Amino acid sequence: MPGRIVVVLASLAVSSLLASCGAMDIPPPRRTVTVTVDAPSTAPADTPEPTQTEVPTSAPTATSVPTALAAGRLRGAPRSFAEAQGRIDAAPPAASVTDRFRSPSGNIVCRRSTDAGTAACEVAKGRVDPPLPSICPAGGPQDIGRIELGPGGALPVCNSDTIRTGGEPELGYGKRTQPSGTTACLSESFGVTCIDTASRHGFFLARDTFVTF
């Protein structure tokens, strides 16, 4: 029994020492709080709205594209500059349509310069598959929505922007733009034709079809 008494006395001594050092007053551990932080979203950003431009300034189409192309059904389309000019010259001018207009259906909008020999028209619906694989550059739209006419000819554009701003005056079927400069456009029920008399180039554009000459 003497050994047990020594152990008890030693335990009492240790307890007394800890108490005197304040060890018995150590506060219990604090409660652990877990905070969950959501990981950054990997979802793609919303697709931006097409930018609007009054005058086409970007043409992602390769400049080596021929200026005599055709795609689609071509219903009613002129096949040459001479044919297009003949139709336009025979049509009466609209009263107040000069540098911008829309077709009566609203599907086609156009801009033309009255002094620089340029014009452009685009479709809202009925974009056209390219007749040549080299027309639409990689990394962008792969169909043609606009035709741009300049001194070097008419080129199809695989556009992601738009020349449509809203409020374009209507160019009635069978009417042409007011005479001004070297460009002129004609609206018909089956599409729109624009020409530049200085370069003797032009185009026809409609839903699902176009011609350049």
Side-chain angles (χ1 to χ4, degrees):
M1 296 303 292
R4 181 177 296 178
I5 294 173
V6 172
V7 173
V8 172
L9 291 175
S11 299
L12 291 174
V14 171
S15 299
S16 176
L17 179 61
L18 292 174
S20 65
C21 294
M24 300 302 289
D25 296 330
I26 297 175
R30 294 183 178 181
R31 184 178 61 182
T32 301
V33 178
T34 302
V35 178
T36 302
V37 179
D38 293 335
S41 174
T42 58
D46 292 339
T47 303
E49 293 293 327
T51 56
Q52 295 180 342
T53 175
E54 281 290 336
V55 178
T57 56
S58 61
T61 303
T63 56
S64 59
V65 172
T67 58
L69 292 171
R73 297 178 58 186
L74 311 181
R75 182 173 62 87
R79 304 304 179 92
S80 66
F81 174 84
E83 182 182 352
Q85 184 178 30
R87 290 191 193 181
I88 290 175
D89 289 347
S96 59
V97 176
T98 55
D99 62 335
R100 65 191 187 104
F101 63 89
R102 65 174 176 84
S103 63
S105 69
N107 190 48
I108 301 176
V109 295
C110 299
R111 298 282 187 275
R112 73 181 186 101
S113 169
T114 58
D115 56 7
T118 61
C121 292
E122 71 179 37
V123 292
K125 296 180 180 179
R127 294 172 67 97
V128 187
D129 291 334
L132 297 175
S134 60
I135 292 179
C136 296
Q142 295 301 298
D143 51 8
I144 296 162
R146 184 163 70 225
I147 308 295
E148 295 182 0
L149 174 63
L155 295 176
V157 178
C158 307
N159 61 302
S160 58
D161 62 346
T162 180
I163 60 174
R164 185 183 298 268
T165 59
E168 290 88 353
E170 178 182 304
L171 182 60
Y173 295 139
K175 298 293 184 68
R176 59 164 294 179
T177 53
Q178 283 283 338
S180 181
T182 60
T183 60
C185 295
L186 169 66
S187 173
E188 297 174 283
S189 61
F190 43 81
V192 171
T193 302
C194 292
I195 61 170
D196 174 27
T197 56
S199 67
R200 295 186 65 83
H201 286 293
F203 66 84
F204 170 85
L205 179 65
R207 184 190 297 263
D208 302 319
T209 189
F210 76 85
V211 179
T212 61
F213 42 81

